[in-house]
Amino acid sequence: MEEDTDFRIRFSSLCFITDHVGFHGTIKSSPSDFVVIEIDEQGQLVNKASDEPIHKVNKILPGPNNLAKKTNLDPQNLSFEERSNQEVNTLAGCSGDDQNYEPGSEKEDTIEDGTSKGEEENIDVLGSLLDEKTNELLNRFACDVKEKWNSNTELIGPSSEFSLGRILDKNQRAILHSAIRQKFPFLITVGKNSEIVVKPNLEYKELCHLVSEEEAFDFFKYLDAKKENSKFTFKPDINKDHRKAVHHFINKKFGNLVETKSFPEPNYSADNPKVMITVRFREKAHKPRKRFLHGCQERRVIYTAFTLRKENLEMFEAVGFLAIKLGVIPSDFSYAGLKDKKAITYQAMVVRKVTPERLKNIEKEIEKKRMNVFNIRSVDDSLRLGQLKGNHFDIVIRNLKNQINDSANLRERILEAVENVKNKGFVNYYGPQRFGMGRKVHTDQIGLALLKSEMVKAVQLFLTPEELDDPVNRAKKYFLQTEDAKGTLSLMPEFKVRERALLESLHRFGVTEEGCIQAWFSFPHSMRIFYVHAYSSKIWNEAVSYRLATYGSRVVEGDLVCLDEDIDDEHLPSSKVVLPVLGYNIQYPKNKLGKWYQEVLSRDGLQTCRFKIPTLKLNVPGCYRKILKHPCNLSYQLIEEHDIDVTKEGSHIDEATLSLLISFDLDASCYATVCLREIMKHDF
């Protein structure tokens, strides 16, 4: 990879506030050398075990995917958000144990005015739309489901689903949904983001405990047809308690859609007391879904809170992976702040539309991705960015050495540096990870393009490859050369969730200004605004450097000062001085800094920018950030690590190197790497 010279120049020009000499050392030698633990609003570390019990839910509905599959049949069980964000079909099909069973005349007697489809037609459809391997795997999955049901094995968890992959053509997806439900009535399909996932139909299984599988097939076929004025009749039944159980099941599961009544058989007598249950659609129950949904917007949404531990994993990649495993979208996750990649991090998160049990079901799978979830519990709402007190850091700095031409005692230099920053603080710069250190394109460059409404350029910047020969960068290079989104999508690895989401939108809408606007909406709001904030952060870093070079850290006329605590107005400490982070609702300092901000905005072509991007639904009000910060609860320890070299015969060299273990707390939005930079007087 080419050296990121622009980035190094940018950060080497940042100021220091303290006057000690400092020292050299290596940080982030491994993720375990840099541990970040979020501190919640109550001041508690989020890696501590929670005493709150896990919320219990009905065993028949172990997770949101089982709720989602009932959209057509049981709308009262779904929130408005769940229905509006998912493309769902409930499957009713035509098979019992024999997948080649064709319905006969008995079925036609029980469904009035209904129509039937031959099994061969569905097989042909599946064969024409699915490749041979996928078709074979689908059949194998269906067989596995039936075998487990027949052996009374529970089907709960991620292993009980099968993905057909992404089907970009909407009409093909609709045909596949229908064909699968005709062939496999004991399965359902859930479609989202062009992907079709097949799962067991637990309602079908439950009904099979009450009636024959043949009747269950016919009933789900009837529900799926939704033919006006039609009715379905179960076989005559002599057992009153059994009929009561069937009534109860139908009304509980599908009561908003259908109603049931009992009628005596035509040749009913004391000797033959058989009664038939007839099902009819409720009036207007089949009307357009939007009208029905209007009254359901206030239904409670499921929120599950948890602590996420991740290791050496980018935040957005982690969220994307969790979203795929849980069958939701990245914007269903909320969090208080972003965390480092090359580190072990602990943070609070909340996911919508996922039960605690469903989240627990994927614990084993996500361990392979170096993630863990714990403290899982039900809550009432999502998290907001900034909804935290700060972060706790446990850091190991290895290979400690004096600065060049510094002959002082190393231990004394380290003690001096740590105590100096503990007492005087550090310049509160945004850290290099906010901008994508080491990359050809930095996040602030993408943010600037978005602010200037240069949507095609922003997409091109996002998909700019690094100087590496790997599948991801080969795919990006191909896109910049061809603008072939579909071809690039076939080259882009599955784990690159953001890139694939963007490319799918570009394939659908085109690589035009309007198409690129739609493509940015494939990202959640928090990700879209992240790039704009990165630009504002870069300008703030430049502003504080200019301010310190011009006035030092002292308070001067025209400064903006934070009065959030009781302080002596005659001796305003420099730690109260703030500078604005760009946005539409800020004031500029009434000194040289105000003019400097205007010149920078003009330099970047934003002299008329209002920091609102209506096309992307982004509004950036701005805020104020203190120019100096102090680490809290700081403690440290020096340890010796011994390297033994016995390669020379008869010799024994025992060389000790120093490492520094340092722990401290920082307020939200402060960067440990920036604090360490001030301590060590060394750019990383």
Side-chain angles (χ1 to χ4, degrees):
M1 183 188 298
E2 292 182 349
E3 184 179 6
D4 192 355
T5 52
D6 173 67
F7 201 87
R8 293 196 174 280
I9 291 171
R10 185 195 301 184
F11 272 85
S12 63
S13 65
L14 301 186
C15 301
F16 295 106
I17 197 67
T18 51
D19 55 5
H20 59 268
V21 175
F23 54 92
H24 279 283
T26 305
I27 68 168
K28 298 188 177 182
S29 297
S30 70
S32 60
D33 281 354
F34 203 92
V35 179
V36 187
I37 307 170
E38 201 167 81
I39 306 171
D40 65 22
E41 290 183 307
Q42 287 71 46
Q44 300 297 312
L45 298 177
V46 300
N47 67 329
K48 302 299 183 185
S50 172
D51 294 329
E52 296 185 54
I54 294 177
H55 178 67
K56 300 297 181 186
V57 296
N58 191 317
K59 285 186 178 179
I60 295 175
L61 305 175
N65 292 318
N66 291 323
L67 289 174
K69 72 187 180 191
K70 299 177 181 61
T71 300
N72 291 337
L73 302 183
D74 193 14
Q76 76 271 20
N77 282 345
L78 277 177
S79 69
F80 176 77
E81 289 86 352
E82 285 171 309
R83 283 188 299 268
S84 60
N85 284 323
Q86 296 194 20
E87 170 193 338
V88 180
N89 278 298
T90 301
L91 303 189
C94 60
S95 173
D97 292 333
D98 181 2
Q99 292 178 4
N100 295 315
Y101 168 78
E102 276 192 62
S105 59
E106 185 173 344
K107 183 184 89 108
E108 293 169 6
D109 289 338
T110 57
I111 303 180
E112 293 188 0
D113 303 320
T115 59
S116 62
K117 293 184 179 180
E119 187 67 18
E120 291 179 3
E121 179 185 344
N122 299 315
I123 295 172
D124 290 339
V125 170
L126 292 174
S128 64
L129 292 181
L130 300 176
D131 60 71
E132 186 176 347
K133 182 179 179 182
T134 304
N135 207 351
E136 180 184 343
L137 291 172
L138 173 61
N139 279 276
R140 190 182 306 167
F141 173 78
C143 290
D144 288 344
V145 169
K146 290 306 293 292
E147 286 175 6
K148 288 180 180 179
W149 276 356
N150 293 336
S151 63
N152 293 320
T153 304
E154 283 296 321
L155 276 166
I156 295 176
S159 62
S160 60
E161 62 183 45
F162 172 72
S163 174
L164 298 180
R166 286 184 168 86
I167 313 295
L168 297 178
D169 187 280
K170 185 176 181 180
N171 291 329
Q172 287 186 3
R173 290 201 303 272
I175 294 169
L176 272 174
H177 280 299
S178 177
I180 293 171
R181 71 170 168 261
Q182 297 298 321
K183 185 177 180 183
F184 305 116
F186 49 91
L187 300 179
I188 64 163
T189 56
V190 178
K192 188 167 57 176
N193 294 336
S194 304
E195 182 185 18
I196 295 180
V197 177
V198 185
K199 304 179 181 184
N201 185 345
L202 298 183
E203 290 174 341
Y204 183 95
K205 180 185 179 184
E206 192 173 354
L207 182 57
C208 286
H209 292 315
L210 297 173
V211 300
S212 68
E213 186 158 352
E214 180 184 341
E215 287 178 283
F217 157 71
D218 290 339
F219 174 74
F220 277 91
K221 179 79 171 180
Y222 163 79
L223 285 177
D224 184 67
K226 291 186 177 64
K227 194 165 183 66
E228 193 169 353
N229 299 322
S230 64
K231 67 180 181 181
F232 175 87
T233 304
F234 286 96
K235 291 179 180 178
D237 188 354
I238 194 172
N239 188 319
K240 184 176 180 180
D241 289 335
H242 181 260
R243 294 198 304 269
K244 185 177 180 180
V246 174
H247 276 293
H248 179 74
F249 174 86
I250 300 297
N251 287 307
K252 178 183 176 183
K253 297 294 183 182
F254 318 117
N256 275 31
L257 188 65
V258 297
E259 59 184 359
T260 61
K261 288 185 179 180
S262 293
F263 294 95
E265 196 181 32
N267 59 346
Y268 180 91
S269 68
D271 297 327
N272 183 33
K274 291 185 178 179
V275 175
M276 299 180 297
I277 297 175
T278 299
V279 185
R280 294 180 184 274
F281 283 103
R282 290 186 182 277
E283 245 188 306
K284 300 182 180 179
H286 55 278
K287 293 296 182 183
R289 200 169 102 183
K290 286 185 179 178
R291 183 175 298 177
F292 180 81
L293 291 177
H294 182 72
C296 300
Q297 296 186 28
E298 300 303 319
R299 294 201 174 273
R300 191 178 73 85
V301 180
I302 297 171
Y303 292 97
T304 295
F306 61 98
T307 296
L308 172 68
R309 179 195 184 274
K310 63 180 180 68
E311 179 178 338
N312 201 27
L313 194 63
E314 187 187 49
M315 173 72 178
F316 293 130
E317 185 180 342
V319 168
F321 186 79
L322 287 171
I324 290 172
K325 291 300 175 185
L326 291 168
V328 295
I329 56 177
S331 58
D332 286 323
F333 290 85
S334 57
Y335 36 84
L338 303 178
K339 297 290 177 280
D340 299 67
K341 176 185 177 181
K342 193 171 182 180
I344 294 176
T345 67
Y346 297 81
Q347 66 190 111
M349 299 195 81
V350 173
V351 58
R352 293 193 315 157
K353 302 182 290 189
V354 173
T355 63
E357 279 71 18
R358 173 63 178 141
L359 184 57
K360 284 183 70 65
N361 282 338
I362 69 166
E363 284 180 305
K364 294 295 182 185
E365 278 194 89
I366 66 174
E367 285 177 5
K368 303 170 188 175
K369 199 72 174 176
R370 304 179 303 280
M371 288 191 286
N372 302 94
V373 291
F374 55 98
N375 288 347
I376 301 170
R377 61 204 184 278
S378 290
V379 292
D380 295 326
D381 206 350
S382 56
L383 281 169
R384 305 184 314 274
L385 283 173
Q387 194 176 343
L388 73 165
K389 188 172 182 180
N391 293 285
H392 173 79
F393 298 88
D394 292 315
I395 299 169
V396 182
I397 308 173
R398 301 188 187 277
N399 306 316
L400 299 176
K401 298 175 183 177
N402 285 88
Q403 299 278 21
I404 298 174
N405 300 323
D406 178 23
S407 58
N409 181 278
L410 178 58
R411 290 175 180 269
E412 292 177 1
R413 284 296 192 217
I414 294 169
L415 175 65
E416 171 195 39
V418 173
E419 290 296 327
N420 207 10
V421 172
K422 181 179 179 180
N423 296 323
K424 296 182 181 179
F426 59 95
V427 184
N428 192 25
Y429 288 116
Y430 288 97
Q433 59 267 47
R434 192 171 185 85
F435 309 101
M437 183 174 68
R439 296 178 182 172
K440 188 177 290 187
V441 172
H442 303 137
T443 54
D444 58 272
Q445 294 171 269
I446 298 173
L448 177 58
L450 293 176
L451 283 168
K452 296 169 77 172
S453 293
E454 297 173 343
M455 300 301 171
V456 176
K457 181 180 179 180
V459 166
Q460 291 171 338
L461 288 170
F462 179 81
L463 292 173
T464 296
E466 305 298 333
E467 298 299 325
L468 293 171
D469 187 26
D470 59 28
V472 173
N473 287 294
R474 284 197 293 270
K476 289 182 176 181
K477 190 175 295 184
Y478 175 80
F479 176 80
L480 290 189
Q481 291 170 346
T482 65
E483 291 193 351
D484 175 12
K486 183 178 180 181
T488 307
L489 193 60
S490 67
L491 298 173
M492 187 64 68
E494 287 289 335
F495 73 89
K496 300 303 287 184
V497 178
R498 283 182 292 167
E499 286 79 357
R500 290 187 62 84
L502 193 80
L503 288 165
E504 284 175 353
S505 290
L506 292 174
H507 171 57
R508 181 178 179 184
F509 298 107
V511 189
T512 62
E513 198 72 18
E514 181 59 33
C516 289
I517 289 172
Q518 294 300 322
W520 281 109
F521 276 105
S522 66
F523 291 178
H525 178 273
S526 59
M527 201 180 296
R528 296 198 301 275
I529 206 164
F530 167 78
Y531 293 102
V532 179
H533 284 165
Y535 172 76
S536 297
S537 301
K538 176 206 172 189
I539 300 306
W540 192 91
N541 278 4
E542 293 178 4
V544 74
S545 290
Y546 176 80
R547 200 259 179 225
L548 292 171
T550 304
Y551 297 120
S553 62
R554 71 187 190 281
V555 179
V556 299
E557 185 178 352
D559 271 340
L560 300 174
V561 178
C562 175
L563 299 178
D564 57 354
E565 298 173 15
D566 294 329
I567 53 176
D568 184 350
D569 288 345
E570 294 183 5
H571 301 91
L572 287 171
S574 56
S575 61
K576 296 296 177 184
V577 177
V578 298
L579 287 177
V581 180
L582 293 173
Y584 63 79
N585 193 30
I586 59 168
Q587 299 180 48
Y588 293 106
K590 302 295 185 183
N591 49 34
K592 292 181 180 179
L593 265 296
K595 183 180 179 183
W596 179 91
Y597 270 101
Q598 298 305 321
E599 289 174 349
V600 168
L601 289 174
S602 180
R603 175 199 74 188
D604 289 345
L606 297 176
Q607 55 267 45
T608 60
C609 178
R610 298 182 61 223
F611 288 90
K612 296 183 179 182
I613 313 175
T615 53
L616 295 185
K617 296 184 179 179
L618 297 180
N619 294 313
V620 186
C623 61
Y624 301 93
R625 183 176 175 90
K626 292 181 179 179
I627 67 173
L628 298 180
K629 278 287 185 177
H630 289 75
C632 301
N633 302 320
L634 189 149
S635 62
Y636 59 97
Q637 177 185 357
L638 282 167
I639 60 171
E640 289 187 356
E641 297 181 309
H642 294 268
D643 294 326
I644 300 175
D645 183 358
V646 291
T647 56
K648 293 183 180 180
E649 187 176 347
S651 68
H652 184 91
I653 303 172
D654 187 348
E655 183 179 344
T657 59
L658 278 179
S659 292
L660 174 64
L661 281 65
I662 186 168
S663 297
F664 51 84
D665 299 343
L666 292 178
D667 290 341
S669 192
C670 295
Y671 289 79
T673 47
V674 173
C675 180
L676 294 178
R677 177 183 179 273
E678 186 80 46
I679 290 172
M680 299 169 67
K681 296 295 177 69
H682 169 51
D683 288 305
F684 304 113

